[in-house]
Amino acid sequence: MNLKEIQQLIDMINNSDLDEATIEEGDFKITLKRSSANPVTNNSQPVSTHAVTQTVSAPQPVIQPQVKDSEPSKPMNEGLVEIRSPIVGTFYRAPSPEADAFVNVNDRIENGQVLCIIEAMKLMNEIESDFSGSIVEILVENGQPVEYDQVLFLIKP
């Protein structure tokens, strides 16, 4: 199952009346659940403040959401485009620890260029830009857990 298929599953759950769906494909198993008002906080499921929680059969650490959403929007960010995480996972700036970062602040990027990798369920998912521009800010540190729809980059088109 690839990143686009997982995103489609998330969108289907968000647009339906289903509260939970489990999909098994060989050794791969994914359970999508709607978040409740009182999310469960045990060590076997990540906690998400978004509409869908993603779990696997192996125990996973609890992922605490970032609290940047409560900050008021800054006027200096007007005109900038946000690149957001399409999945829950771990953010990596480079393809390996000894390799150079895919992009740095002030780099010019092109449509389709790989910006980072997000590891989810032992799968490395390349995150590509949907447009051209310049990197203004990288909002996530290498190796940091990220939530679905969390802002990763600010881009000046």
Side-chain angles (χ1 to χ4, degrees):
M1 186 165 272
N2 65 36
L3 174 66
K4 289 184 182 188
E5 291 172 327
I6 292 171
Q7 183 63 43
Q8 288 173 345
L9 289 172
I10 291 170
D11 291 341
M12 286 174 26
I13 294 292
N14 281 338
N15 295 326
S16 74
D17 293 333
L18 294 174
D19 288 329
E20 180 177 340
T22 301
I23 293 91
E24 292 187 49
E25 212 175 90
D27 292 344
F28 181 80
K29 178 180 178 182
I30 185 170
T31 300
L32 302 171
K33 296 180 183 180
R34 286 191 190 276
S35 294
S36 65
N38 299 319
V40 177
T41 54
N42 64 32
N43 286 341
S44 65
Q45 296 181 347
V47 175
S48 173
T49 59
H50 301 285
V52 175
T53 301
Q54 175 178 314
T55 61
V56 293
S57 54
Q60 296 288 321
V62 173
I63 298 174
Q64 295 299 325
Q66 296 289 321
V67 188
K68 286 202 172 225
D69 295 335
S70 63
E71 296 177 5
S73 60
K74 299 175 184 171
M76 65 185 218
N77 287 351
E78 288 182 21
L80 299 180
V81 179
E82 299 173 335
I83 302 286
R84 295 178 173 268
S85 176
I87 57 175
V88 173
T90 304
F91 175 89
Y92 294 107
R93 292 190 59 201
S96 67
E98 56 278 339
D100 291 335
F102 289 110
V103 294
N104 293 300
V105 173
N106 297 326
D107 282 359
R108 179 87 184 138
I109 60 167
E110 299 299 324
N111 186 10
Q113 181 176 344
V114 176
L115 302 175
C116 65
I117 291 176
I118 296 182
E119 178 186 5
M121 298 177 291
K122 304 293 181 194
L123 295 174
M124 299 297 180
N125 302 285
E126 291 183 341
I127 308 304
E128 299 176 350
S129 175
D130 292 333
F131 50 88
S132 299
S134 296
I135 303 283
V136 173
E137 190 173 357
I138 301 171
L139 301 169
V140 182
E141 294 296 321
N142 194 49
Q144 179 179 349
V146 294
E147 290 289 325
Y148 170 74
D149 207 33
Q150 179 178 342
V151 179
L152 305 175
F153 300 92
L154 292 177
I155 309 293
K156 182 177 182 181

